[in-house]
Amino acid sequence: MYTRSTVDDYDRIANKTGDNGWSWKSLQPYFRKNEKFVRPADKHNNTGQFDPKVHGSNGSLSVSIQNFPTPIDSKVINASHQLGGDFNFVLDYNDGLPLGLGWLQTTVDGPTGSRSSSATAYLTPEFLKRPNLDILVNAQVSRLLQTQEGKPLSFLTVEFKHGLSSKLGRLTASREVIMSAGSLGTPHILLNSGIGDSQALGRIGIKPLVDLPDVGANLCDHSAIANPFVALSNNTFENIREPNVTAQLLQQWNKTKTGPLTDTVASLISFHRVAGDDLPNPDPAAGPNTPHFEHLYAVRFISIR
């Protein structure tokens, strides 16, 4: 699923850091540069399902709309027009104002019916042959090492383990190190490096180097719950679970790159806010146009574990 978050969210980051480069407006050129919005796998006319003005077409990461129709799509859209309000139709939730219901965008390359990812977008032969790029696979970073004392401190050396070898290696950058190990991996590495709550680090035998109590704290999990309904019809995708049907659909995908296997779990998504007495205080959302939760509308059973 392809979701950019909201204007409120990025502008809050810009305000907190004092760096306007993080604002929604400043990041728009980079969103477009990264993205390649493509036609869907079934080649249907997607006019009115997204806003071309907020998307790019020459980037590396493919994004598309609903690559295979589901039986409830038109029913959900009609309900949106009838209900309005919190379910008001939104042409494109990636315009920074997502509240309402619209067509789900996914990182699927429609013409090939295949998933687009950081690997397919940025580790292709055209990038791998660049003289200023070396990729080390099967390597796990343990911590960053201080390379300069005084203020500000400098952490340009990376300690890591390569493959099954127990020997730790080190690499030192000449300019900067970019931490991008995910919402769990990044604070884990920082804490191992002595960057975090000094008292907590001291208690487990890690020498504190930078006292930043927020590192490893304030995690906001993206929890999910399924609300299944019994359908008075066989016009669902439940039969995909049957081995013979799965085999047929896989054969179709291998041959034509079309069919249900080009899609994710749903075609439509809606974003909403909690209201009234249920609104948390303080509000964890970045602003009044930032949702608290989302709905996915699927014509199949979704197992949440």
Side-chain angles (χ1 to χ4, degrees):
M1 301 179 191
Y2 181 69
T3 307
R4 293 178 181 169
S5 194
T6 67
V7 174
D8 294 335
D9 211 9
Y10 289 101
D11 286 352
R12 179 170 68 171
I13 295 174
N15 291 332
K16 290 289 186 180
T17 61
D19 183 352
N20 196 54
W22 285 105
S23 70
W24 172 267
K25 183 177 180 180
S26 296
L27 287 173
Q28 287 308 298
Y30 300 99
F31 287 144
R32 291 180 174 84
K33 184 178 180 180
N34 158 266
E35 183 187 22
K36 179 174 64 177
F37 210 95
V38 298
R39 61 174 174 79
D42 66 355
K43 301 179 183 179
H44 76 268
N45 183 358
N46 56 12
T47 302
Q49 294 183 331
F50 77 107
D51 185 355
K53 296 193 299 295
V54 300
H55 293 280
S57 58
N58 298 309
S60 300
L61 184 70
S62 294
V63 178
S64 59
I65 288 271
Q66 188 212 26
N67 288 282
F68 188 82
T70 78
I72 65 169
D73 293 342
S74 60
K75 294 179 174 63
V76 175
I77 290 295
N78 287 337
S80 168
H81 291 312
Q82 292 174 19
L83 289 172
D86 289 342
F87 293 89
N88 186 55
F89 179 74
V90 174
L91 177 60
D92 198 311
Y93 63 85
N94 276 321
D95 67 356
L97 302 171
L99 295 178
L101 182 145
W103 292 96
L104 180 64
Q105 299 172 18
T106 60
T107 50
V108 174
D109 183 59
T112 64
S114 303
R115 181 183 177 187
S116 185
S117 67
S118 55
T120 62
Y122 293 106
L123 296 180
T124 54
E126 62 179 301
F127 295 108
L128 295 178
K129 67 183 181 181
R130 288 174 53 171
N132 62 343
L133 175 65
D134 291 290
I135 298 174
L136 189 63
V137 298
N138 301 319
Q140 183 177 6
V141 173
S142 56
R143 57 178 177 160
L144 304 178
L145 299 176
Q146 185 178 346
T147 51
Q148 179 179 319
E149 297 184 359
K151 293 185 179 181
L153 296 178
S154 177
F155 293 83
L156 293 178
T157 296
V158 178
E159 181 183 81
F160 65 96
K161 181 180 179 182
H162 186 211
L164 299 177
S165 172
S166 60
K167 184 178 180 181
L168 290 171
R170 294 181 179 181
L171 287 173
T172 299
S174 59
R175 295 180 60 185
E176 63 181 355
V177 173
I178 298 175
M179 285 291 299
S180 182
S183 57
L184 298 180
T186 296
H188 184 196
I189 293 171
L190 292 174
L191 292 170
N192 282 343
S193 308
I195 303 171
D197 187 320
S198 295
Q199 293 185 355
L201 292 174
R203 286 195 295 268
I204 58 175
I206 297 178
K207 180 183 178 181
L209 296 176
V210 180
D211 184 27
L212 289 176
D214 284 344
V215 175
N218 305 313
L219 173 68
C220 293
D221 198 1
H222 191 162
S223 56
I225 184 172
N227 292 302
F229 296 87
V230 175
L232 300 178
S233 167
N234 291 326
N235 192 19
T236 70
F237 283 175
E238 280 298 288
N239 63 346
I240 290 179
R241 299 173 182 273
E242 300 173 11
N244 62 317
V245 176
T246 302
Q248 292 171 6
L249 294 176
L250 182 59
Q251 184 179 28
Q252 176 186 354
W253 183 84
N254 282 324
K255 185 177 181 179
T256 66
K257 305 302 182 186
T258 60
L261 298 187
T262 61
D263 257 346
T264 185
V265 297
S267 297
L268 294 146
I269 189 171
S270 62
F271 293 93
H272 309 278
R273 285 182 58 81
V274 174
D277 294 339
D278 294 324
L279 182 66
N281 185 20
D283 186 352
N289 294 308
T290 298
H292 294 116
F293 63 97
E294 65 187 67
H295 283 146
L296 292 169
Y297 303 87
V299 69
R300 70 197 82 182
F301 178 73
I302 301 176
S303 177
I304 303 295
R305 297 180 180 177

